[in-house]
Amino acid sequence: MTKPDFARMKFYCDEKLCIDCNGCVVACKEAHEIPVGINRRKVVTVNEGVVGKEISVSMACMHCADAPCEKVCPVDCFYIRADGIVLHDKDKCIGCGYCLFACPFGAPQFPKNGAFGTKGKMDKCTMCSGGPEETNSPEEFEKYGQNRMAEGKVPMCASMCSTKALLVGDANEVALIKTYRATTKGKGIATEAMGW
């Protein structure tokens, strides 16, 4: 089997390194000027208050290979790029909320509560890849925020993570980093000292 010539982009949050600082959440909101009430990224803590058993994980759209949001959207506003990033077209969105109920991660967000059509246009993590408008245009920024991927930068949430718990990139490369971290745990710095 040959490896495809494109990356399959994925997020991974290492629960052993996430310290529930919410830096990723704040960085995302600030970079994209996201309105109050919408969070493209959130930190979920399991076993909160149980000493030694707390686990925190930063979550957003997981950019699924077989995205359930895309499957249920009646107006086909979702599309999956060749690199696996799941994006949406706000001009097509009717605010029905089907994607919200289909997504197991709660990624789609709506600016308002209400019945069919009154929720407003859906918003979700774009992995800092913009939308269908012209790349880095004022229209793209207005609707989707920064397009850091077009500039060759990692998403703002991952660049801001102080413990490097949040990784983003080609799924195979992220898996190699996770494997490396797991196999070198407890062995100190795994690289040789330079300049000695």
Side-chain angles (χ1 to χ4, degrees):
M1 185 166 117
T2 60
K3 185 177 177 182
D5 60 350
F6 55 86
R8 176 89 192 152
M9 302 298 286
K10 288 291 182 187
F11 279 118
Y12 174 75
C13 182
D14 191 336
E15 73 281 356
K16 291 177 177 54
L17 296 177
C18 182
I19 58 173
D20 192 18
C21 70
N22 283 282
C24 54
V25 176
V26 174
C28 179
K29 285 186 80 72
E30 180 68 24
H32 303 299
E33 298 178 9
I34 299 171
V36 174
I38 295 177
N39 288 315
R40 290 183 179 177
R41 180 161 288 284
K42 60 188 169 255
V43 177
V44 176
T45 302
V46 181
N47 299 325
E48 191 166 6
V50 181
V51 179
K53 302 228 182 219
E54 286 186 340
I55 297 172
S56 294
V57 178
S58 177
M59 292 184 64
C61 176
M62 295 304 201
H63 301 277
C64 306
D66 192 21
C69 56
E70 181 196 30
K71 302 285 184 208
V72 300
C73 182
V75 293
D76 295 325
C77 80
F78 291 92
Y79 58 99
I80 302 175
R81 294 184 353 174
D83 59 4
I85 298 174
V86 178
L87 296 177
H88 65 292
D89 186 340
K90 286 190 178 185
D91 292 333
K92 290 183 179 178
C93 179
I94 59 172
C96 66
Y98 289 174
C99 56
L100 174 64
F101 296 113
C103 178
F105 305 105
Q109 302 283 305
F110 292 88
K112 303 173 195 166
N113 290 325
F116 182 85
T118 61
K119 293 178 176 290
K121 302 289 184 181
M122 184 274 297
D123 194 274
K124 71 172 222 40
C125 167
T126 63
M127 201 181 276
C128 290
S129 294
E133 275 76 18
E134 181 184 342
T135 302
N136 290 330
S137 67
E139 294 81 24
E140 182 185 52
F141 181 81
E142 177 72 26
K143 291 180 184 176
Y144 306 98
Q146 289 185 15
N147 190 338
R148 293 174 56 88
M149 290 292 219
E151 299 170 6
K153 299 176 182 174
V154 298
M156 185 58 84
C157 55
S159 70
M160 181 62 189
C161 184
S162 60
T163 62
K164 301 303 175 211
L166 188 57
L167 303 174
V168 64
D170 173 57
N172 294 325
E173 296 297 321
V174 170
L176 288 174
I177 292 169
K178 176 59 180 154
T179 302
Y180 174 77
R181 285 181 178 179
T183 57
T184 60
K185 183 177 169 111
K187 296 181 179 165
I189 298 173
T191 56
E192 293 182 26
M194 299 298 287
W196 288 69

